């Protein structure tokens, strides 16, 4: 049979015409491989400034040797501010369940959608699904206080003949049981069909205690609880929230205090349903591992922090990884501490190096304290509180590596037993600095950042020779796909090579397509992109472009939703929530 070639069309190519192409002839054959055929960087002013679009395509090869090429297109589900079933997308609620409005009666609306979890919930009607979406930031309230963050729950209907998705209802999720949600960023759908989110910053409890009235946490909680007398609590925020949804759309929310408190991005649950790996979106930040006591239950476990032992500097650098145990705890135990503990209960701290040295303090450098060196000492009996409420400070205190620069999304390649993690900027604390309290990472500067590969081995030991009860312990880390800084801006204003990634953020891996999808959050590209990187062929393809000033966000790989495949993909500023259509279902497929 001759190869069937379909021309690469613009973003106006419809799902109905795509379905017609995919439906003839009727005989079926298993797909052997896919190849993404990338698109050019945007050329026209409209493409650069206005459109979220794809002109890429995918080439499908079958086991019998036949091939076809099909265009991809971006399908918008909704934009913040859209009215869906009488409700406005992207609004936020206070603790009383009231939508928060401006003085003119219109609601505050986020323009910063992020993570998506499209999920199939038992008990829903056929071809009906739920979609959880994050909104990373809200506009500041007119009273000058911080607005609470928000997530939404959408009801999604599929046209089974075409795979077209449509949102028919939407509502904000109630976080009043956990004091509201603080800057939700990335996340994922767990293997047990719940949504694991993130709180992207961990408010500095030391600074808060010095001046609680001026603290962003206090401003946040005053607004959330509509109480001008309240004093905020930073230990309520900087956790991993888990959202459970039932068939009626009721949601239950918890925060996993036992996973530590830090600037979370996308945590990754490993195939044992117990081990969770995560990097931290701060500068500087660390790499962490949590091993739950029970499968599919993240309410109690042991927390570890990695130490980078450098082995090379080429192509982003490489290192062996050692692991330091921070402690074991339950959510309930740490939540009780969060409700009753101040920073000064946990640490003695000073910014005076002379005093610190003289009195036996340890110098550390974390994203707290404005990223400056501080001298700290854990108070007697407070190691557990330090480990789980001041996780980065305690990790640095014990000698873990807290030098990574904005470690972002992470995903796992099960067949090869490899994980991939994005580091947005290889600069600042990742460079050699003999004046720093610790200088484990000493790499060349790559401001465009890159993607690194983690390798795993089972049942390793900590630096104190204690067995780690997991088959998924990262033992090495090496750069595999790096951006390239330009010596001078190109004609379009790009300061990083436009044909390579720049400042990777969200990443997800398709097990079926052997492809890593990478979304950018970069000022080094005039337009941010989503890329497809085949881990076997090493081919990198640009598959989507975001309007100028926007960030590509919210990646979720849905390999099989009732016989259809989707790459969920949102953008921030301007805000879109949608998906890339045209991806093949890697089971039986029409030729």
């Amino acid at each position: 049979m001759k190869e069937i070639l379909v021309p690469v069309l613009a973003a106006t190519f419809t799902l109905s015409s795509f379905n017609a192409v995919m439906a003839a002839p009727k005989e079926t054959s298993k797909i052997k491989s896919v190849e993404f055929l990338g698109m050019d960087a945007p050329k026209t002013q409209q493409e650069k400034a206005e459109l979220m679009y794809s002109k890429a395509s995918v080439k499908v090869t079958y086991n019998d040797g036949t091939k076809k090429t099909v265009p991809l297109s971006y399908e918008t589900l909704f934009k913040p501010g859209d009215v869906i079933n009488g409700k406005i997308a992207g609004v936020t609620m206070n603790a009383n369940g009231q939508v928060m409005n401006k003085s003119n009666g219109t609601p505050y609306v986020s323009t910063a959608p992020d993570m998506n979890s499209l999920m199939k919930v038992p008990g829903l009607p056929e071809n009906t699904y739920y979609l959880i979406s994050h909104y990373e930031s809200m506009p500041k309230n007119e009273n000058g206080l911080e607005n609470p963050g928000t997530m939404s729950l959408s009801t999604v209907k599929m046209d089974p003949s075409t795979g077209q998705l449509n949102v028919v209802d939407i509502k904000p999720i109630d976080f009043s049981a956990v004091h509201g949600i603080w800057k939700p960023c990335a996340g994922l759908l767990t293997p047990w069909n719940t949504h694991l989110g993130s709180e992207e910053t961990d408010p500095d409890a030391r600074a808060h205690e010095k001046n609680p009235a001026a603290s962003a946490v206090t401003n946040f909680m005053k607004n959330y609880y509509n109480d001008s007398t309240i004093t905020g609590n930073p230990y309520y925020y900087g956790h991993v929230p888990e959202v459970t949804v039932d068939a009626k759309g009721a949601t239950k929310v918890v925060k996993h205090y036992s996973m530590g408190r830090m600037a979370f991005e996308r945590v990754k649950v490993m195939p044992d349903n117990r081990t969770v790996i995560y990097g931290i979106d701060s500068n500087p930040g660390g790499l962490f591992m949590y091993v739950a006591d029970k499968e599919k239950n993240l309410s109690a476990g042991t927390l570890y922090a990695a130490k980078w032992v450098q082995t090379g500097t080429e192509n982003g650098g490489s290192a062996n990884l050692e692991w330091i145990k921070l402690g074991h705890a339950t959510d309930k135990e740490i939540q009780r501490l969060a409700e009753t503990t101040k920073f000064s209960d946990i640490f003695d701290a000073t910014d005076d190096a002379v005093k610190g040295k003289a009195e036996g303090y340890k110098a550390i450098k974390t994203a707290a304290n404005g990223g400056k060196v501080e001298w700290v000492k854990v108070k007697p009996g407070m190691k557990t509180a330090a480990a789980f409420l001041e996780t980065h400070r305690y990790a640095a205190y014990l000698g873990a590596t807290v030098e990574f620069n904005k470690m972002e999304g992470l995903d796992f390649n099960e067949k090869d037993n490899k994980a991939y993690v994005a580091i947005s900027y290889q600069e600042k604390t990742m460079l050699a600095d003999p004046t720093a309290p610790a200088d484990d990472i000493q790499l060349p500067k790559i401001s465009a950042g890159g993607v690194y590969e983690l390798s795993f081995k089972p049942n390793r030991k900590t630096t104190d020779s204690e067995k780690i009860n997991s088959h998924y312990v990262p033992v090495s880390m090496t750069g595999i796909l790096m951006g390239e800084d330009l010596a001078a801006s190109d004609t379009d204003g790009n300061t990083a090579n436009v044909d390579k990634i720049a400042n990777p953020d969200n990443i997800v891996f398709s097990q079926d397509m052997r492809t890593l999808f990478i979304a950018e959050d970069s000022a080094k590209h005039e337009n941010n992109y989503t890329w497809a990187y085949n881990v076997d062929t090493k081919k990198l393809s640009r598959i989507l472009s975001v309007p100028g000033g926007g960030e590509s966000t919210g990646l979720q790989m849905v390999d099989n939703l009732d016989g259809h495949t989707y790459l969920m993909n949102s953008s921030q500023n301007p805000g879109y929530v949608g998906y890339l259509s045209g991806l093949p279902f890697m089971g039986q497929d029409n030729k």
Side-chain angles (χ1 to χ4, degrees):
M1 183 178 291
K2 293 182 178 179
E3 178 177 341
I4 302 172
L5 294 177
V6 180
V8 178
L9 305 181
T12 54
F13 185 88
T14 65
L15 273 175
S16 58
S17 56
F18 159 73
N19 191 64
V21 170
M22 294 293 278
K26 292 182 179 180
E27 65 266 27
T28 62
S29 175
K30 188 77 172 178
I31 293 175
K32 180 180 180 181
S33 64
V34 298
E35 177 186 1
F36 286 89
L37 306 178
M39 56 187 264
D40 291 334
K43 303 295 185 186
T44 69
Q45 188 58 31
Q46 183 186 31
E47 289 175 339
K48 292 178 181 180
E50 300 177 21
L51 298 180
M52 185 158 178
Y53 73 99
S54 178
K55 289 185 178 179
S57 57
V58 60
K59 188 175 186 178
V60 181
T61 300
Y62 294 88
N63 282 339
D64 64 6
T66 59
K67 301 178 181 182
K68 70 180 174 191
T69 302
V70 177
L72 304 176
S73 67
Y74 185 74
E75 305 290 333
T76 301
L77 287 172
F78 62 86
K79 299 178 183 179
D82 284 354
V83 178
I84 302 170
N85 195 27
K87 303 160 191 172
I88 300 175
V91 300
T92 189
M93 295 192 306
N94 63 21
N96 298 318
Q98 301 163 324
V99 172
M100 300 192 70
N101 291 327
K102 303 175 186 177
S103 58
N104 63 7
T106 62
Y108 290 96
V109 175
S110 173
T111 59
D114 204 299
M115 172 56 198
N116 299 292
S117 277
L118 183 63
M119 59 175 65
K120 187 174 183 178
V121 175
L124 279 174
E126 189 175 11
N127 303 126
T128 303
Y129 315 93
Y130 286 131
L131 172 69
I132 292 178
S133 300
H134 288 194
Y135 302 82
E136 186 176 324
S137 60
M138 295 294 298
K140 187 176 286 291
N141 198 285
E142 290 175 353
N143 60 17
L145 301 181
E146 300 286 334
N147 267 326
T150 188
M151 294 185 195
S152 65
L153 180 71
S154 302
T155 304
V156 180
K157 297 280 190 180
M158 178 206 285
D159 180 339
S161 64
T162 64
Q164 179 80 45
L165 301 177
N166 291 288
V167 173
V168 298
D169 199 11
I170 192 168
K171 64 178 181 180
I173 294 173
D174 180 10
F175 279 86
S176 60
V178 292
H179 306 288
I181 184 72
W182 179 271
K183 300 180 182 178
C185 190
L188 84 162
L189 187 67
T190 68
W192 52 93
N193 208 42
T194 63
H195 172 79
L196 277 187
S198 61
E199 293 186 301
E200 194 187 18
T201 62
D202 49 334
D204 182 7
R206 183 184 177 202
H208 170 86
E209 188 174 345
K210 287 180 179 178
N211 190 357
S215 166
V217 175
T218 295
N219 289 337
F220 175 98
M221 293 186 71
K222 282 180 178 180
N223 243 10
Y224 187 61
Y225 288 101
N226 193 27
D227 181 354
S228 61
T229 67
I230 202 167
T231 298
N233 183 344
Y235 291 138
Y236 287 155
Y237 308 104
H239 303 286
V240 173
E242 184 171 11
V243 183
T244 304
V245 188
D246 69 17
K248 295 181 179 180
T251 55
K252 178 184 177 182
V253 177
V254 298
K255 287 185 181 179
H256 289 304
Y257 285 78
S258 63
M259 293 180 72
R261 192 180 77 94
M262 52 194 102
F264 282 98
E265 269 284 330
R266 185 180 196 265
V267 306
K268 179 59 182 179
V269 179
M270 305 303 281
D272 62 357
N273 292 324
R274 292 178 57 246
T275 306
V276 189
I277 311 294
Y278 36 99
I280 302 306
D281 183 12
S282 62
N283 175 45
L287 175 65
F288 295 85
M289 174 174 58
Y290 177 83
V291 182
D293 293 349
K294 299 177 182 179
E295 291 186 27
K296 303 180 182 181
N297 184 340
L298 304 180
S299 65
T302 305
L303 183 61
Y304 303 87
K307 186 173 183 64
W308 168 283
V309 182
Q310 190 160 301
T311 57
T313 60
E314 296 299 314
N315 193 43
S318 58
N320 294 323
L321 298 175
E322 298 176 348
W323 290 92
I324 296 171
K325 181 180 175 180
L326 303 185
H328 176 277
T330 67
D331 285 349
K332 290 182 179 180
E333 175 186 6
I334 304 305
Q335 185 174 352
R336 285 194 297 268
L337 287 173
E339 292 166 349
T340 59
T341 305
K342 305 186 302 295
F343 175 85
S344 59
D345 296 328
I346 302 172
F347 283 109
D348 285 320
T350 180
D351 295 328
D352 185 337
V354 174
K355 177 181 178 181
K357 291 177 181 178
E359 299 184 16
Y361 290 60
K362 183 173 290 187
I364 63 170
K365 185 176 182 180
T366 67
N369 200 38
K372 296 179 292 185
V373 175
E374 58 186 344
W375 295 76
V376 297
K377 185 189 300 183
V378 179
K379 291 189 172 182
M382 299 307 290
K383 289 182 179 179
T384 297
F388 294 93
L389 295 179
E390 290 289 343
T391 306
H392 254 136
R393 281 183 165 111
Y394 190 60
Y397 185 84
L398 293 185
T401 300
V402 181
E403 299 171 37
F404 298 104
N405 192 339
K406 286 183 66 64
M407 189 178 281
E408 304 272 355
L410 189 150
D411 210 353
F412 184 63
N413 171 350
E414 190 166 353
K415 179 181 177 182
D416 297 339
N417 201 32
K418 305 284 188 182
Y420 309 104
V421 62
I423 292 184
S424 203
Y425 299 84
Q426 185 172 296
E427 57 183 23
K428 298 182 180 177
T429 50
M430 295 186 71
L431 312 184
D433 181 3
T435 68
D439 197 23
D440 297 337
I441 305 177
Q442 302 179 26
L443 296 174
K445 183 178 181 180
I446 306 175
S447 294
V451 175
Y452 294 74
E453 182 180 85
L454 301 174
S455 297
F456 294 79
K457 288 186 178 179
N459 300 317
R460 307 296 287 179
K461 292 184 177 181
T462 67
T463 53
D464 290 334
S465 298
E466 182 177 322
K467 182 180 177 181
I468 302 171
N469 187 23
S470 171
H471 279 55
Y472 295 97
V473 179
V475 295
S476 64
M477 180 172 173
T478 185
I480 59 167
L481 182 66
M482 308 306 295
E484 179 184 341
D485 301 332
L486 299 179
S489 301
D490 66 16
T491 55
D492 288 323
N494 298 294
T495 58
N497 188 332
V498 75
D499 293 321
K500 295 185 179 182
I501 62 171
N503 308 126
D505 193 321
N506 283 242
I507 62 173
V508 295
F509 184 70
S510 170
Q511 309 288 344
D512 291 342
M513 289 187 274
R514 302 282 296 161
T515 297
L516 183 68
F517 296 97
I518 305 163
E520 295 181 339
D521 177 13
S522 178
K524 299 184 176 300
H525 284 168
E526 287 297 289
N527 291 81
N528 278 312
Y529 307 114
T530 300
W531 302 84
Y533 176 71
N534 187 289
V535 298
D536 298 320
T537 66
K538 314 303 181 188
K539 181 180 179 181
L540 179 69
S541 306
R542 182 189 294 107
I543 60 171
L544 183 141
S545 177
V546 176
E551 172 190 346
S552 183
T553 64
L555 294 187
Q556 180 199 12
M557 187 66 238
V558 186
D559 281 307
N560 179 11
L561 186 68
D562 291 327
H564 296 275
T565 299
Y566 306 92
L567 178 67
M568 306 303 296
N569 202 163
S570 298
S571 77
Q572 294 184 7
N573 307 310
Y576 288 82
V577 176
Y579 60 95
L580 199 66
S581 71
L583 297 169
F585 170 50
M586 297 294 286
Q588 295 293 329
D589 199 351
N590 291 325
K591 286 199 293 183

